[in-house]
Amino acid sequence: MPGGYGCSASFFFLSDYVYFENSSSNPYLIRRIEELNKTANGNVEAKVVCFYRRRDISSTLIVLADKHAREMEEEMENPEMVDLPEKQKHQLRHRELFLSRQLESLPATHIRGKCSVTLLNETESLKSYLEREDFFFYSLVYDPQQKTLLADKGEIRVGNRYQADITDLLKEGEDDGRDQSKLETKVWEAFNPLVDKQIDQFLVVARSVGTFARALDCSSSVRQPSLHMSAAAASRDITLFHAMDTLHKNVYDISKAISALVPQGGPVLCRDEMEEWSASEANLFEEALEKYGKDFTDIQQDFLPWKSLTSIIEYYYMWKTTDRYVQQKRLKAAEAESKLKQVYIPNYNKPNPNQINVNNVKPGVVNGTGVQAQNAGAGRACESCYTTQSYQWYSWGPPNMQCRLCASCWTYWKKYGGLKMPTRLDGERPGPNRNNLSPHGVPVRNSGSPKFAMKTRQAFYLHTTKLTRIARRLCRDILRPWHAARHPYLPINSAAIKAECTARLPEASENPLLLKQVVRKPLEAVLRYLESHPCPPKPDPAKSLSSSLNSLTPAKFTPVINNGSPTILGKRSYEQHNGMDGNMKKRLLMPSRGTKPKLAAQWEIIPNKSPINSWWIHASSEKEEDELD
């Protein structure tokens, strides 16, 4: 596929940074190969570490990342980022990645090329990342589950603030005025009065005291049940360090040093981290080391929170001297021998579905401008670089926009996840749930996923013309806005209204309409008025209605009125609860199918006799007229 891949190399090895393609229209995924495994059907799967782009994380975390970048610039005192043009700043954001601890397995056949990912180097120029092809950097670690960003614990401390302050070289014959005792602590005197044989004999005595101390200690007798194990534990470096420190503190007097080894309370017991840890704690440490590697902070937080960081690090370096470490190293080496170390991927030359066939392009909207494309190549520029000449074009963005990219910009989009120039459709940060989004925030359905795929709806608003607003006033008798509002399903003959408005417009221009200024009272004034003028109790419509019906209705016909069950509001019907008293009365007085016409005419007179209904109709008409004016 032209303009689609980062490298022509076909052999991929462990620890390579590669491009993976999971969608023909989305940018490549950037991963690091950890393992290469052959499946049962003969295919090769790559176990990879995930890297995320800026477009893959939420806007809240983007703000944190930008804040971290500004803090690093202030610490480095490097104004280079400020001096960069906006175009280079925009492209530099495409080179930034976020490391994660997440592992996933992907088919090796989806590899599309190699790239390079490195930890951000403070001593390196930012332009150097733009000058090198397929080059990315990272400085933060992203947790997809917790949705957090943290600084990488494996930061290489390079820079001015990590350098030691070197004093000037003393001249010949010049004395050093510093107090050496404050600069260093002497723990051993090389020119002591003892010979090597006497020192070795004292160390043997110290080991013997350590073995005896373990025999007296209950916890040690459980951990080292045999004399051989106790003697081996007493011969560790912690015992030798304590013995030599004791000899130095007693000015190399062996008799005083032996007395210090066995004070009045009993023999001194010295144990290191290897002896202090239990078997279950050791198993937890090995499990954590397998998962996190030498990330001791995560090991402490997730597996051994009751241990200090110093204790964990000290145990790690002692654990590396044990037979247990040697055995695990041999097992891993044997497993590595049986696993694949490289994979050959043939060049992928299938055509991309987003390729545009110039000879078969349907006319439509060009770049969202609303212009119909009579000629497929006329007036359609690249959405990124605005060129009109390219040997191959690719469709990009929502299908209804019919945007396209040239071959060069399409390659840039696939590799770096953005456009060379910022545009209105640049998919920098599409919205939430980015794993299921297209480059422009349109949720897509992954292969085999049952999730519903939604499409973006274009926003619009209705803008009435001046002629339409004038027609509402001049042709009110034809339009009948009150009637149309109560019957929204009835069609309005807009053509006839426009024609009548055009005919009345010359006459109306001589007598302009006077607009009635409506001053609406604030809510507080309305509330005060309602409190001071409570609504008078309404007569029971059911009783008054029944009395009227008894005088007009024959004895055979008795309408049924459902008052509903008693509630906290009293024995009132559903219509009364919802403010529908007047309508209910009118509905009950409508004739049924089996009612005589003469009786129906008598019933229709009843609602007009109610002063409440006539007042309500008059008030509502005035209110609607004021709102329409």
Side-chain angles (χ1 to χ4, degrees), residues 358-375:
V358 181
N359 298 325
N360 187 21
V361 178
K362 297 180 180 180
V365 180
V366 179
N367 286 345
T369 58
V371 181
Q372 296 293 327
Q374 302 298 333
N375 187 1

Side-chain angles (χ1 to χ4, degrees), residues 542-559 589 598-599 602-603 605-606 609:
K543 294 181 179 179
S544 60
L545 186 62
S546 60
S547 61
S548 303
L549 291 176
N550 290 334
S551 61
L552 298 174
T553 311
K556 296 181 181 179
F557 182 82
T558 54
L589 298 178
K598 183 178 180 181
L599 187 60
Q602 293 176 347
W603 285 1
I605 302 173
I606 295 176
K609 294 181 181 180

Side-chain angles (χ1 to χ4, degrees), residues 145-256:
Q145 280 72 35
Q146 302 296 330
K147 306 297 181 184
T148 56
L149 277 180
L150 299 173
D152 187 19
K153 302 299 188 305
E155 179 184 1
I156 301 175
R157 299 187 173 183
V158 178
N160 296 330
R161 65 182 186 276
Y162 298 119
Q163 304 304 316
D165 295 330
I166 302 176
T167 58
D168 296 333
L169 183 64
L170 296 177
K171 298 178 181 179
E172 187 176 356
E174 184 180 359
D175 295 333
D176 190 357
R178 297 177 297 176
D179 187 359
Q180 296 295 326
S181 61
K182 295 181 180 180
L183 300 178
E184 58 187 8
T185 302
K186 182 179 288 189
V187 295
W188 184 256
E189 181 63 55
F191 303 100
N192 58 71
L194 300 178
V195 296
D196 293 343
K197 183 178 180 180
Q198 291 175 310
I199 296 175
D200 292 339
Q201 290 174 346
F202 178 77
L203 295 179
V204 171
V205 173
R207 294 192 190 98
S208 303
V209 172
T211 305
F212 179 65
R214 283 166 175 78
L216 297 178
D217 184 63
C218 297
S219 60
S220 298
S221 60
V222 175
R223 295 175 182 176
Q224 293 98 20
S226 64
L227 178 63
H228 176 75
M229 296 177 65
S230 298
S235 300
R236 295 185 62 82
D237 291 342
I238 188 68
T239 304
L240 303 182
F241 292 157
H242 174 68
M244 298 179 72
D245 185 52
T246 304
L247 194 61
H248 177 73
K249 289 180 179 179
N250 290 276
V251 198
Y252 302 95
D253 188 341
I254 293 181
S255 59
K256 292 182 179 180

Side-chain angles (χ1 to χ4, degrees), residues 299-329:
I299 291 175
Q300 180 195 25
Q301 291 177 353
D302 297 344
F303 285 86
L304 299 165
W306 59 89
K307 294 288 185 181
S308 65
L309 194 61
T310 305
S311 174
I312 294 175
I313 296 174
E314 185 176 346
Y315 178 83
Y316 168 74
Y317 286 103
M318 291 182 178
W319 174 77
K320 289 185 70 174
T321 63
T322 60
D323 295 336
R324 176 77 174 174
Y325 171 76
V326 176
Q327 293 175 0
Q328 289 192 2
K329 195 172 182 180

Side-chain angles (χ1 to χ4, degrees), residues 27 54-55 86-87 89-91 93-94 383-384 386 396-398 401 403 405 409 412-413 416-431 434 438-441:
R54 292 174 66 95
R55 65 192 304 274
E86 287 299 327
K87 180 180 177 181
K89 287 182 181 180
H90 172 75
Q91 295 180 358
R93 296 188 186 99
H94 300 155
E383 189 68 25
S384 177
Y386 312 114
W396 180 83
M401 301 298 290
C403 301
L405 297 178
C409 293
Y412 187 93
W413 160 255
Y416 305 115
L419 300 184
K420 294 180 180 179
M421 297 293 293
T423 63
R424 56 192 170 86
L425 290 180
D426 192 5
E428 226 8 64
R429 293 194 293 272
R434 303 173 193 284
S438 74
H440 313 288

